[in-house]
Amino acid sequence: MGNSCSCMRRSGEASASTPSNTESSVEEQIERSKVHWSTLAEHSSSGLIAEDESDCEAEAEVSNVREFMELQRHPTWGGFFQTMGYDLGNLWKSLGELVVGEKFAEGGQAELFHAKVTWWNPKDNELDERERCHHVVKVFKKGTFLRHLKSQLPHGLLQWYVEDMENMESPTPKVIPRYISRVYRGILLKNGQFAFLMEKDDFDLRSLIERCFQLRVDKGRGPFSNEDGESMMYDIALGVEFLHNRNIIHRDLKASNVLVQDYYRVSKWPKWLCYVADYECSVGVVGTGFFRAPEILQALNEQIISEKPEVFSRAADIYAYGMTCYEVLTGKLPFENHPLHDKTSSLINQVINHDLRPKVPKYVEGWARKLLKRCWQRDPRARPSMGEILDILSTNSYYVRLREESLKEKFGENHRNYLKHQKLI
């Protein structure tokens, strides 16, 4: 599936708080977003959609029903795959009614739609209303075959679902804070298209960066204050650590793949909470532009990426984390103003062979500059782990320490230790 909506811009969210509802605005923003869509490995993208569109949609619909029912029969995590609004066979009953609304974003393989969910269980509806929870569906495009998509699911996602279900059925369920975007189920729509049912957050971090950068009076600095920027770096690190502890490699970390909740309506600080997103279909993605580590760029350059799966590692995510922090601290994309920006092959050569990295402005604090430098090491073994990064953030940032104290007070000393039988809230 490969982050099919990665880097997709949530249409209408360029202003973050005043989304446009016009169809032209949606299409314009989707068109602009195409330059940010992530790349899929050739072996992952080939065969997902049949070449003859007139035949593939009907073929995919029949194939997807058969494949979905097979997934439902899995003895451990079959319950992750369920229908909404109709029953498919006798194994799993529909969870509730689903009304798919307007499209608000698009990626290379999938589209995002607003969704209205009415659960059969009244308690679930009460919970959604109490927590002001809204939903979206990430729908893979017509003609996409589920038999190919299923190989792109990270096993950690399904294992996490199993642990979450075990916890909810426990007489003493445990609770931990949420650090990533919520993916509830893999569902099959009535027309045979596969989709993820997900919780809707307010906007993506890239949109927020651009909005705040435009509004900032001091144009010689980044988009956020130190307290807000460091809090965001902390949130993103917590999210990546959560995934890594679940053996999920993100493969396409960047600000546009981080979702943001406008927290100011709840508390004056932090203003925003960030959640790592687009991890649910990461296998097969080869990332985006210069967010990719040198070892990935090298394998792509030599056209041996399918033979080098080991380059997609926790260390590669750490490199991308450094680039994402660069976005947060400066508001800029990697090398966006570099003299070689339009000469991609030359720029890639400089990154791989001459350790070229983005220039970090002097206004970025020294400890943060050192952190970026460590994340951007050529040797993956020289990069810090996410646990080390969290320690660095806590040691150097007063605001991060405040966040940690708050989390410990609410969730306990082990708020970062994701053991089994803990429920995501």
Side-chain angles (χ1 to χ4, degrees):
M1 276 166 266
N3 283 34
S4 53
C5 288
S6 343
C7 242
M8 62 172 77
R9 301 301 302 279
R10 274 70 179 169
S11 63
E13 292 175 357
S15 62
S17 58
T18 55
S20 167
N21 293 319
T22 64
E23 184 176 345
S24 60
S25 176
V26 170
E27 295 305 320
E28 287 172 4
Q29 293 190 46
I30 288 173
E31 189 63 32
R32 288 198 300 271
S33 77
K34 289 182 178 179
V35 297
H36 298 291
W37 288 1
S38 58
T39 306
L40 293 172
E42 290 183 8
H43 73 283
S44 298
S45 57
S46 61
L48 288 179
I49 302 179
E51 293 182 4
D52 189 343
E53 292 185 7
S54 62
D55 297 331
C56 77
E57 291 181 13
E59 182 184 347
E61 181 176 353
V62 173
S63 173
N64 287 354
V65 170
R66 184 171 58 248
E67 196 66 47
F68 194 81
M69 293 179 72
E70 183 64 29
L71 289 169
Q72 287 186 314
R73 284 192 284 269
H74 193 280
T76 306
W77 38 255
F80 180 78
F81 300 95
Q82 296 193 39
T83 55
M84 299 289 294
Y86 74 102
D87 295 332
L88 185 64
N90 299 319
L91 187 59
W92 293 98
K93 296 299 182 182
S94 166
L95 293 172
E97 288 288 352
L98 171 70
V99 178
V100 179
E102 293 182 355
K103 181 172 78 171
F104 65 95
E106 182 178 349
Q109 290 185 85
E111 301 165 305
L112 278 174
F113 296 84
H114 296 291
K116 170 66 176 176
V117 172
T118 304
W119 305 105
W120 296 142
N121 187 341
K123 291 183 179 180
D124 292 334
N125 294 319
E126 293 170 6
L127 181 63
D128 279 354
E129 185 174 353
R130 186 166 62 249
E131 296 188 355
R132 299 181 181 180
C133 176
H134 300 282
H135 300 87
V136 298
V137 284
K138 179 176 179 176
V139 183
F140 289 85
K141 295 179 179 179
K142 291 182 178 179
T144 303
F145 285 83
L146 181 54
R147 66 172 181 264
H148 300 297
L149 291 179
K150 68 178 184 180
S151 65
Q152 308 305 315
L153 279 167
H155 291 292
L157 171 65
L158 299 174
Q159 183 58 40
W160 166 34
Y161 161 79
V162 172
E163 294 172 8
D164 196 34
M165 291 300 102
E166 290 175 351
N167 175 64
M168 289 201 305
E169 294 168 2
S170 167
T172 56
K174 297 180 181 180
V175 179
I176 62 171
R178 175 166 79 105
Y179 299 140
I180 59 178
S181 67
R182 289 182 174 123
V183 178
Y184 292 113
R185 292 290 192 282
I187 63 175
L188 191 70
L189 303 182
K190 290 182 180 179
N191 65 359
Q193 287 178 267
F194 181 71
F196 285 111
L197 177 64
M198 309 165 70
E199 181 173 349
K200 182 183 184 299
D201 287 300
D202 293 321
F203 35 85
D204 69 78
L205 180 54
R206 187 66 223 172
S207 295
L208 180 62
I209 287 172
E210 292 175 2
R211 173 177 174 251
C212 291
F213 208 44
Q214 291 171 357
L215 296 175
R216 194 163 179 85
V217 176
D218 184 358
K219 300 299 182 182
R221 297 187 67 82
F224 305 115
S225 65
N226 284 351
E227 59 185 300
D228 292 330
E230 290 164 16
S231 177
M232 289 174 170
M233 291 167 64
Y234 179 63
D235 283 346
I236 298 167
L238 286 171
V240 176
E241 186 187 48
F242 185 96
L243 295 178
H244 285 183
N245 285 342
R246 287 285 187 280
N247 292 318
I248 299 174
I249 308 301
H250 192 285
R251 300 169 66 122
D252 197 25
L253 187 65
K254 55 199 171 188
S256 53
N257 277 345
V258 174
L259 299 184
V260 182
Q261 183 183 96
D262 190 345
Y263 200 61
Y264 194 73
R265 62 176 180 265
V266 179
S267 172
K268 290 186 178 180
W269 190 82
K271 295 178 185 176
W272 304 285
L273 295 178
C274 295
Y275 305 111
V276 176
D278 278 340
Y279 58 87
E280 67 276 357
C281 47
S282 58
V283 180
V285 169
V286 297
T288 302
F290 291 99
F291 289 88
R292 295 178 284 204
E295 61 269 22
I296 296 176
L297 293 173
Q298 180 70 47
L300 286 167
N301 220 23
E302 296 176 2
Q303 298 183 340
I304 56 171
I305 195 69
S306 61
E307 302 166 24
K308 289 254 188 177
E310 67 274 11
V311 299
F312 299 103
S313 63
R314 289 174 174 80
D317 276 356
I318 297 300
Y319 185 94
Y321 171 80
M323 289 298 177
T324 306
C325 290
Y326 174 79
E327 288 186 271
V328 170
L329 292 168
T330 70
K332 299 176 182 178
L333 295 167
F335 302 118
E336 66 174 32
N337 295 320
H338 194 276
L340 295 176
H341 176 72
D342 295 325
K343 299 178 181 179
T344 305
S345 60
S346 298
L347 194 50
I348 290 173
N349 176 64
Q350 290 294 313
V351 170
I352 294 172
N353 298 312
H354 300 284
D355 293 334
L356 178 67
R357 302 293 185 265
K359 186 176 180 180
V360 182
K362 292 182 179 179
Y363 61 73
V364 175
E365 293 192 28
W367 69 266
R369 297 163 65 92
K370 290 178 181 177
L371 174 59
L372 296 187
K373 185 176 180 180
R374 288 192 63 190
C375 291
W376 292 340
Q377 290 293 310
R378 180 196 296 193
D379 184 354
R381 296 169 297 182
R383 299 169 200 156
S385 68
M386 197 52 71
E388 291 178 87
I389 289 172
L390 283 163
D391 290 339
I392 291 170
L393 291 170
S394 178
T395 300
N396 291 278
S397 171
Y398 167 74
Y399 307 109
V400 168
R401 288 196 295 276
L402 286 181
R403 290 289 312 281
E404 276 199 329
E405 290 170 9
S406 176
L407 286 168
K408 288 178 181 179
E409 181 179 348
K410 189 173 183 180
F411 299 104
E413 290 290 327
N414 295 324
H415 71 97
R416 278 173 49 191
N417 295 328
Y418 309 113
L419 305 176
K420 288 186 177 182
H421 311 304
Q422 291 183 310
K423 181 183 177 184
L424 186 73
I425 68 167

